[in-house]
Amino acid sequence: MRQLLSKRKVYTRLFLFYCFIALVGLISNSLLLALLIFTVALLLWHYHHLFLMDKWLWRDRKLSPPISEGIWGHLFEGIYYLQRRDRRKRRELRNVVRRFRDGAEALPEAVVVMHRDWSIIWSNKLAQILAGLHWPADEGQRLDNLIRHPDFLQYLKAGKFELPIELPSPVNDQLTLEFNIMAYGVEQYLLIVRDITQLKQLEQIRKDFVANVSHELRTPLTVLQGYLEVMDDEHLPDKTMWKKAHNVMLDQTKRMDALVQQLLTLSRIEASARVQFDDEVDVPAMLLQLEQEAQTVNRDKQHQLVFDIDPQLKITGVTEELRSAFSNLVINAIKYTQNGGDIQVSWQRQHLKAVFSVNDNGPGIAPQHVKRLTERFYRVDEARARNTGGTGLGLAIVKHVLSRHNSRLMIFSEPGKGSSFSFTLPPELVHGNNANTKKKRSSKPV
């Protein structure tokens, strides 16, 4: 606790000084002259310290105060103490502001602090990316002069900020942003801008998914209902009609069953926990069995199937999921390649990795369709997909399975020249010996 300057002590000391000078003046018979000289010296002493204070406060770069005694020394120490306290508080305030800004910069949303008149006080870097605001260049600028979307201006004018507003980004119209304004501090507002593009896309995917599933199930159900409505105890069809109806209903039932099974497979893959790479998958044996199944599907197509398999190449993963991925790629090639085509299936080791590929000389796929093939229910040709019994979920399943096994589907296709579907499994999933013995079989149509 610093001691305050005592008026009594100051006045007592000054009185004693004047008494002493008066005594000296009386002794020397120069009382007035002595008092005058002492008063002038006292004034000069005070002015000297005033100049020292002025120089220290405004011109001297030194932080330490001038050296002095008495009243001025006490004042210098007091000012120096206040300066240190002020610097400490300013340092603490800078740290608080820095922590606030660092926290605001770390947020996944754009943050803008504004006055009541919508002039910008501060904004983080994400505000530049999402909303095109620049700080400190835009400091003091009105927000409604920088974001000119009519809906946003109406939102500000209405002043009802209970609900956010969704608008396209002023920087990139492919992004959808959510603007949320709330009161902040004293006559200030806080604008929070979130990128909800992915949420909107997911919502659209969900709607499309429900619509597609409903559409896919409606067609076979309509067919079944139509046949059943014309069949009753009094109006049984003849054998020819019954045979046709039976075959159609059976095909539609199988189609619904395939759709439901693939939906269940896709849901199970998405909902299952992270893959534990502990189980050995005998891929050569799996592909041998798949080759036999492919011959059954190929009976009407009469393709030339060639399976080139490394019999020693085994991996770790989820057997059922990988079988589904292998099967979808092979069966798709058989279904969508014109009759009498050539299809090559390969399972080989490349350095430390395992590569699976299916190549065909089918009609090929246009570039604008390739990047969307793994979307659910996406079809290049709706009519051809229905003729082949496709559900539009096969490649979506393959994509999810490969993602869970640290891989991704590569698609290369050119209209009129065929397609290639392949994926590479990382070295950590490949095990077994390094035997170079390979098994190559050429399977002709049955």
Side-chain angles (χ1 to χ4, degrees), residues 347-400:
W347 173 248
Q348 297 294 326
R349 185 190 302 270
Q350 285 188 3
H351 304 292
L352 300 177
K353 301 178 181 179
V355 180
F356 178 78
S357 64
V358 179
N359 300 283
D360 63 62
N361 62 343
I365 306 168
Q368 65 268 24
H369 297 298
V370 171
K371 62 182 180 180
R372 300 191 60 189
L373 286 179
T374 55
E375 295 180 12
R376 301 178 186 185
F377 297 108
Y378 184 81
R379 295 186 178 94
V380 176
D381 188 338
E382 290 282 348
R384 187 177 66 169
R386 302 207 187 285
N387 293 335
T388 58
T391 63
L393 292 173
L395 293 181
I397 292 175
V398 173
K399 174 185 175 182
H400 282 77

Side-chain angles (χ1 to χ4, degrees), residues 133-161:
L133 303 178
H134 301 78
W135 189 86
D138 290 336
E139 184 178 5
Q141 297 290 326
R142 288 176 58 93
L143 184 66
D144 49 359
N145 290 333
L146 300 176
I147 301 179
R148 303 292 299 169
H149 195 284
D151 292 343
F152 184 72
L153 297 179
Q154 184 63 32
Y155 181 65
L156 290 180
K157 184 177 180 181
K160 298 179 180 179
F161 305 130

